[in-house]
Every structure is written in C-alpha cells, then in structure tokens.
Amino acid sequence: MMSGKGIGLYIGAKSISAAQVENRSGRAVLQKLAVVETPADTIDRGIITDAESIGITLKEIWEGEKLEGKRVGLVMPAVNLIIRSMTLPRMSESEVYEALRTEVEGYAVISGAEPVLDWEVIPESAEGAFNTFDVLFAATTAENVLQYLSLLREAGLRAGFVEVLPLALSRSFVSADLLKPDSPFNIVVAVDSEITTAVAFYHGFPSFAHMIELGSQDISEGVDELAYELMLCCNFYRNDYPDEEVSNLFLAMDSPDYERVLKELEERTEEQIAGVNPFANIDEVECPTEIAEGNVLSCSVAIGSALREAGLGPEVVQLNLMPRSILTRAHLKRQIMEIGALMTGVLILGLGIGGVLDVKTNSILKEKAALQQKMSQLDEQTLKKVIELEKKTNEFRNRTSQYRDMLNSLKVSSQHELLDYIRSVIPKDSWLERISYDESGRISLEGYAFSEDSVFLFADMLRPLSSGGQVNISVQRESSLFNFHMELRRGRG
C-alpha cells in the first residue's frame, strides 16, 4: 500500500480537534493530535454565529501543530443530523435517493430546506429473495454543511468528505472482530455537547440509530436521565431482536469525569458500559496523547476521520454528506483535467503526423469548452443557492435568538416539573423523539409506541396538562411500530 497522510478535523460546539495520521505501508502512525476549546459563543445548536473567530482558531492549530496538508476529513456536530435505518422495496440508486429525500423532508430538522443525504444498503437485508432491503442513511441540510465548508475555505482548507460523527468515532476504536457477520450486538454511544447518538452494530454493520436530546453539558450534575434513555434504547433493540443480547455499550464523551460517568451509567443501567480507546487502531504514536484523557470523543472522532482520509482503519461504512452540487463540480473538474492531458498528447503526436488529428483536437477543444460552460453554470447556480441559504441561515439565527430569549424567560422549575410529569406518565413501551414548548403554551410531542393502545393511554395521561383537557393526536403505523404526534395547549393555572 502506498504511503500517504490523512488529516481529520472535528469542529464542535465546545472543542475543535485535529489529527494527522500517516499511512506507512499499511501501518497507521499518529503524527499530530490537537484539541482546543471552541471560541465562546461561536456555535449555537450547530449554527455558526462567529465564523471569523473559528477561522482564526483553525489557522492557529495548523500553524502551531505544523499540520502537513490543507485537505481534511470534516466532522460536524451531530445536533442537526438525522441518522436512521429504513426498509425500501428493491429499486435503483436514483430511486433510493428520491425515496429518502421525500422521507427526510418531513423531519423538522430538514423541513423547508434543501437536504443533503447519503446511504448504504445493510448487507444482511439484501440477501435472499426478498423484495425489500434496509438502508442506513444520514441527512442534514445543505445550508448546515455549506456554512462549515465556507468556514474551511476562509481558513485556507478544503474538505475531502463530510463524515458522520458516530461513524468516525466507531472507526477509531472498533476491531475487525466486532465487524464480522457473527459478531455480538454492540451499541456505540457518542455523547456530543448538545446531543447523544446511539448506533447499534448488528452482525457487524451499523443498522440502527437513536438520537437522544441530551449532551455532555446536560449530565454534569448527574447521569440519571441519560441512563434512562440508554435503557430505553437497549429495550427497543431487545424487543426487535428477542434472541439477541446487547454485548457492550461503547460510550465516548468529553469530560474530565469520564471514568466516573462510565461507572455511574453502568450501575444505573445494569448494562456492560465500556470506555473507548481513541488509539485502538493506531499502530504507532509520534506525538503527545495526554490531551485525550478528558477529550475522548473529540480525539476519537478526529482520529477516525484521519484514518479514513489516509485509507486506513476498519471497514466501517463510509457516508459522505458533501452537497451533490459540489461533488458534481469536482467530477467536471476531473473530466477537464483528463481532457487537457489527452489534448496535450494529441498535439505532441500531431507534430509528426500532421493534420490528420486536427478533427480529434477540435472535438476535444469543443468538449472542454462545453464542460467549462457547465462549470460556469454550476458556479452561478451554486452562488445563487448559497445566497439563498445564507438568507435562510440569518432568518434561522434570528429565530434561534428569539427561542433562546423565550427559554430564558421561562421558570426553570416549571420546565423541570413539566418534563418530570411527562416522563412519569409515558407508557413503558413508548418513547419520545421530539418535544417542543413555545411561548404561547403549545406543547408538541412526537414519538413511537409498540401498540396503539399505549398511544391513547399516554394522551389520556397528558390531558391534565391541557387547557380544557384536549389533546390532538395523529397516529401512523410504521412496520411494527406506531408513530404518533400530539399537540396540546397548556393551562395557565
């Protein structure tokens, strides 16, 4: 295998990490590792609010660590990410894209925005003569990705791919044994600062994902809520696969109390909670690594992305959330370069053969001109889209600011009482995916249940919260589950 270097970069709300890995004839050598605090108030729920400050920080990392390259494998916060599995009828690749695009446009994270998505067919589901298969997919909005790509450009960097955080984490530490078809059932848990993502590896492939609206900043005073969510997660998988047992929950987070948190979670969940070793798939280390002790997630994610960029690491599924328009432009650039090289060869031959190849040369020149015209059109289209997305981003930032002001005006005790009550009455075979509460008192809840009766029981238990005792419900069956949406207006008494 040829030598090469890969740089992984994670830009999170609380920390920025970078790792450089060299591929030395198939051996992974960690040459650089850096973690710094993200400048205060520069990222809010995944939205960049101060690009200049982050850009300065990136330049300081590159200069201080003397990182040897401008191309990076980029990992963004998971807060505005969708990662799920879905069953589809057998169809072409373009049909899969359209089906998933239609699916994600219904999610609140994507609704009204241009989606960016990628997927991989789950191998086991494609075997046999069934007319369906399952896909693991990830999605976010184009404006979300473009703001980070623009940030890189300002810092003189570029992205080779846009990695999905829990998959980058997995690549840093999972062994080949955990990726075998007969491997036990394992769950990888990435506790980011604002959200937690749990990805289940079933028969060696990441096949299920569950987003938990809790982050490391929410468990500084206790782990009870995260423990409860992880137990729900394990029970969900056990209900789907009663013959399987959860072998380990591998959990990574940034915290000086990492070991204590692991121990407390294990006591409360009664599950086998394992720590993550960011250097498990590194063969040789040439830099200090003490920084990883309190930054397990940040270091693991940067190293996992660097391994992918260097062509190393275990064969964890590779998803890429680079917007399709940018990928198309890169493909056209490659074509132009190939045509340019071919044209040079033709001209050299023409010196000896005369005008015989003039027609071929003219044809190539026309093709090159046509491709350049396409590139120009794409540039114009992309520029217009970026302007539109920037406008939407500014509008979203204003809404975020209003929402933050609204939250600050609410009494904390009232919020806690509301959440505690909802948690106390939700049936055991049901769980929430989203909950929102606006300044007018409107409460919106979305989730899943294993039975329709549980949905209506939950609605009955919520009636005391509602003004007039009214709860609006919509229920839709999805395979063996019932997806529900409830709305009520909280009484003022």
Side-chain angles (χ1 to χ4, degrees):
M1 185 177 292
M2 293 180 62
S3 296
K5 295 180 181 180
I7 298 175
L9 175 65
Y10 166 60
I11 303 176
K14 297 300 180 184
S15 64
I16 297 173
S17 57
Q20 179 175 300
V21 172
E22 183 176 22
N23 183 343
R24 292 183 187 167
S25 300
R27 297 180 72 254
V29 180
L30 180 64
Q31 296 181 308
K32 313 278 186 180
L33 181 63
V35 181
V36 301
E37 288 187 9
T38 304
D41 302 321
T42 56
I43 299 179
D44 183 10
R45 294 293 294 178
I47 303 298
I48 295 173
T49 56
D50 185 353
E52 183 179 355
S53 295
I54 300 176
I56 291 172
T57 301
L58 290 176
K59 291 177 181 177
E60 289 174 349
I61 293 174
W62 253 251
E63 291 172 2
E65 297 297 326
K66 295 181 172 54
L67 293 170
E68 302 169 22
K70 300 298 185 181
R71 171 178 157 133
V72 302
L74 174 65
V75 186
M76 306 182 304
V79 66
N80 293 316
L81 175 71
I82 299 167
I83 176 167
R84 300 197 66 159
S85 58
M86 182 177 178
T87 301
L88 293 171
R90 290 185 182 269
M91 56 178 66
S92 68
E93 188 171 311
S94 61
E95 290 171 327
V96 171
Y97 173 77
E98 292 302 327
L100 293 178
R101 181 186 172 98
T102 301
E103 169 73 12
V104 303
E105 284 176 344
Y107 287 84
V109 172
I110 306 290
S111 183
E114 179 68 20
V116 176
L117 60 92
D118 198 10
W119 73 92
E120 188 78 27
V121 175
I122 298 173
E124 190 172 81
S125 71
E127 297 173 358
F130 296 107
N131 291 324
T132 62
F133 56 70
D134 298 331
V135 296
L136 178 79
F137 70 91
T140 186
T141 64
E143 59 186 310
N144 184 35
V145 179
L146 286 171
Q147 63 173 339
Y148 285 87
L149 296 181
S150 176
L151 184 64
L152 293 185
R153 187 171 61 252
E154 292 298 320
L157 306 173
R158 62 187 179 91
F161 54 83
V162 180
E163 177 73 285
V164 176
L165 187 144
L167 299 182
L169 166 63
S170 301
R171 191 175 296 105
S172 72
F173 78 92
V174 298
S175 65
D177 288 341
L178 292 180
L179 299 176
K180 291 179 179 178
D182 59 351
S183 62
F185 198 93
N186 293 283
I187 300 175
V188 175
V189 182
V191 186
D192 204 354
S193 62
E194 297 175 303
I195 198 166
T196 295
T197 311
V199 175
F201 281 71
Y202 177 64
H203 290 182
F205 196 90
S207 302
F208 310 97
H210 180 54
M211 309 296 283
I212 301 170
E213 291 289 335
L214 288 168
S216 56
Q217 63 185 17
D218 301 309
I219 63 174
S220 57
E221 297 180 1
V223 300
D224 291 348
E225 199 165 356
L226 180 59
Y228 171 76
E229 292 288 348
L230 291 178
M231 286 190 291
L232 285 180
C233 185
C234 290
N235 290 337
F236 168 70
Y237 297 135
R238 287 189 177 105
N239 285 328
D240 256 19
Y241 295 91
D243 297 331
E244 299 282 347
E245 188 51 58
V246 177
S247 178
N248 285 291
L249 278 85
F250 294 98
L251 187 140
M253 64 180 291
D254 290 344
S255 171
D257 299 321
Y258 179 57
E259 296 296 334
R260 176 187 63 79
V261 170
L262 292 178
K263 185 177 180 181
E264 290 185 8
L265 283 172
E266 188 166 59
E267 290 173 353
R268 284 163 174 74
T269 62
E270 298 182 354
E271 301 286 352
Q272 186 69 34
I273 307 287
V276 166
N277 175 10
F279 313 108
N281 291 318
I282 295 294
D283 298 304
E284 184 179 341
V285 176
E286 295 183 342
C287 62
T289 58
E290 293 81 4
I291 191 69
E293 291 179 6
N295 299 281
V296 174
L297 179 68
S298 293
C299 289
S300 298
V301 168
I303 290 172
S305 187
L307 286 169
R308 174 176 171 178
E309 179 70 6
L312 296 167
E315 294 184 6
V316 175
V317 60
Q318 297 184 356
L319 299 182
N320 185 2
L321 293 179
M322 188 78 79
R324 284 196 163 205
S325 61
I326 295 175
L327 290 173
T328 303
R329 290 177 59 198
H331 175 68
L332 286 173
K333 283 182 179 177
R334 284 196 297 272
Q335 282 187 292
I336 288 174
M337 289 177 66
E338 290 169 3
I339 290 170
L342 178 59
M343 190 178 74
T344 302
V346 168
L347 290 172
I348 291 172
L349 285 171
L351 295 175
I353 299 174
V356 177
L357 296 177
D358 283 348
V359 175
K360 178 64 177 176
T361 302
N362 290 335
S363 173
I364 292 171
L365 286 170
K366 288 178 181 178
E367 187 174 353
K368 180 180 179 181
L371 285 171
Q372 287 176 327
Q373 185 178 2
K374 288 182 182 179
M375 283 286 294
S376 174
Q377 291 171 352
L378 271 173
D379 283 339
E380 292 177 7
Q381 293 168 4
T382 303
L383 181 61
K384 288 179 181 177
K385 186 163 289 187
V386 168
I387 293 171
E388 292 174 5
L389 291 175
E390 187 174 355
K391 182 179 178 182
K392 289 182 180 178
T393 300
N394 290 333
E395 292 173 355
F396 184 74
R397 285 173 181 163
N398 292 335
R399 290 201 302 271
T400 301
S401 177
Q402 293 170 4
Y403 182 61
R404 191 191 306 115
D405 293 341
M406 179 270 293
L407 282 179
N408 290 335
S409 69
L410 292 173
K411 291 182 180 180
V412 173
S413 60
S414 176
Q415 294 178 56
H416 285 175
E417 289 170 6
L418 172 64
L419 291 174
D420 287 343
Y421 179 79
I422 292 173
R423 271 201 301 270
S424 69
V425 300
I426 189 168
K428 291 185 180 298
D429 67 342
S430 308
W431 64 95
L432 291 174
E433 293 277 324
R434 296 184 186 84
I435 179 169
S436 62
Y437 182 90
D438 65 23
E439 66 271 20
S440 68
R442 186 176 64 88
I443 303 173
S444 176
L445 307 100
E446 293 181 41
Y448 289 87
F450 282 101
S451 69
E452 197 169 19
D453 290 341
S454 294
V455 176
F456 290 102
L457 172 63
F458 185 33
D460 286 338
M461 298 300 290
L462 293 175
R463 293 188 195 283
L465 293 176
S466 173
S467 174
Q470 184 176 355
V471 178
N472 298 321
I473 313 170
S474 64
V475 184
Q476 182 176 354
R477 184 171 188 133
E478 295 183 6
S479 185
S480 60
L481 299 175
F482 291 87
N483 174 237
F484 63 81
H485 178 91
M486 300 182 189
E487 283 194 3
L488 60 132
R489 193 168 297 279
R490 194 177 184 192
R492 297 291 181 182

